[in-house]
Amino acid sequence: MDYQYHVPKALTVIARGWKSMMLIMIPVWPFNASYLGPLTLYLYFKYGRPTRSEETHLQHPDSAAKPARDPSSDEPHNHCDMETGAIPHAGHHMSPMHYMNSMKDMHDSGNQENMHDMHAMHAHSTDRPMWAAVMIGVFHCGSSCVLGDLVGEWLVYGTGASINSSGLWVSLSVDYAFALFFGIVFQYFSIAPMSGDYGPKSLMRAIKTDFLSLTSFEVGLFGWMVVFQVGIWDYQIVTNTWLYWWMMQIGMVIGSLTAFPVNWWLMAKKIKEPCAHIRGGGGTLPRTVLCLLNGQ
């Protein structure tokens, strides 16, 4: 007896759009849900992923012009290609690299005006209000701060590093270093797919943008860390306690508040681009994940 896999309803609801979403944005949402759950869920479902029409257009741009499939046809139906993770369709299948290659051709030919128009259409294909675009930008740097804290805090705790018998000041330095590293990586893989430029220019833009954005986030987080460690608990709570990480969650919320006006300014001055919700050639999901989402 053949067993046919059916995608769970919860996975269908949550993961819809992942096949067309910019890859670097997929982990951003769960990281931020760890401290701003309700707001993260609202922005994800409202503005954080492609609409159904956008997703359909990206995967099958000519589908609207094609006649319905004949049920009696011998063509394979809804069969997942294990090499690409794609499902054959009556229309022409758009390659996941299509957008990036178009941008790259424009970049190489010096057609900056068309490249800018295509980029703008790609990055702003939904009517996303400014506050939402800014908050999603804050989420982007917040996710790198979560990663930086998870790595840095446990590293300092595990090694027992301290200054004047306290690990707080070491933690601040190590957390910031890891957060900045992850932030630049996250920012680079947001900028490069949108621009089609994977060279040093995009790396420098990522460093410039994320330094200001991430530092403004850490000002709020680190300020709270000093307050709760020194002023409230007198260095008595340690990393391996639930209380410590609850305090860190509060710090992340405060960091989001201090980062919001800076990210607004960066976007208003065109220093930082709003995070695109549609993939611009930044790779494809692993084929096993694609087949899982396709119900194969």
Side-chain angles (χ1 to χ4, degrees), residues 22 95-101 122 193-194 198 278-284:
M22 181 172 285
S95 165
M97 299 298 288
H98 175 77
Y99 175 83
M100 186 188 73
N101 290 337
H122 179 71
M194 289 195 293
Y198 285 81
I278 299 175
R279 181 181 305 145
T284 60

Side-chain angles (χ1 to χ4, degrees), residues 44-124:
Y44 173 71
F45 286 112
K46 183 73 174 177
Y47 303 111
R49 57 185 181 171
T51 63
R52 292 186 183 276
S53 60
E54 288 170 337
E55 186 178 13
T56 300
H57 177 72
L58 279 174
Q59 294 179 24
H60 312 293
D62 297 330
S63 59
K66 295 293 180 179
R69 179 183 178 274
D70 183 358
S72 64
S73 171
D74 293 332
E75 295 177 4
H77 176 64
N78 225 30
H79 175 69
C80 182
D81 183 344
M82 288 304 293
E83 289 300 318
T84 64
I87 294 179
H89 192 273
H92 298 294
H93 181 71
M94 175 180 280
S95 165
M97 299 298 288
H98 175 77
Y99 175 83
M100 186 188 73
N101 290 337
S102 299
M103 292 289 287
K104 188 67 175 175
D105 291 342
M106 291 179 187
H107 182 271
D108 293 341
S109 64
N111 196 340
Q112 298 295 321
E113 182 177 354
N114 286 344
M115 188 175 77
H116 181 270
D117 291 343
M118 191 173 181
H119 166 64
M121 177 185 69
H122 179 71
H124 306 287

Side-chain angles (χ1 to χ4, degrees), residues 11 14-34 40-41 44 48-50 55 136 139-140 143 147 186 189-190 275-279 282-286 289-290 293:
L11 181 61
I14 295 172
R16 184 194 60 76
W18 282 15
K19 289 177 285 184
S20 303
M21 189 185 296
M22 181 172 285
L23 291 182
I24 199 63
M25 289 303 298
I26 293 176
V28 165
W29 299 103
F31 279 134
N32 283 275
S34 67
T40 301
L41 288 173
Y44 173 71
R49 57 185 181 171
E55 186 178 13
I136 293 172
F139 285 177
H140 198 270
S143 60
L147 271 176
F186 273 53
F189 284 104
S190 177
C275 297
H277 68 299
I278 299 175
R279 181 181 305 145
T284 60
L285 291 176
V289 176
L290 282 169
L293 295 177

Side-chain angles (χ1 to χ4, degrees), residues 255-267:
S256 298
L257 295 176
T258 57
F260 188 86
V262 175
N263 276 265
W264 189 294
W265 178 81
L266 288 170
M267 291 186 186

Side-chain angles (χ1 to χ4, degrees), residues 213-232:
S213 179
L214 185 137
T215 301
S216 65
F217 191 102
E218 297 288 37
V219 165
L221 171 59
F222 288 174
W224 173 247
M225 287 176 69
V226 172
V227 168
F228 82 74
Q229 279 282 43
V230 180
I232 300 177

Side-chain angles (χ1 to χ4, degrees), residues 231-252:
I232 300 177
W233 300 103
D234 192 26
Y235 300 102
Q236 296 302 306
I237 60 173
V238 292
T239 306
N240 63 340
T241 61
W242 286 106
L243 178 59
Y244 185 87
W245 290 102
W246 180 46
M247 293 291 103
M248 292 295 285
Q249 284 179 302
I250 295 174
M252 291 286 179

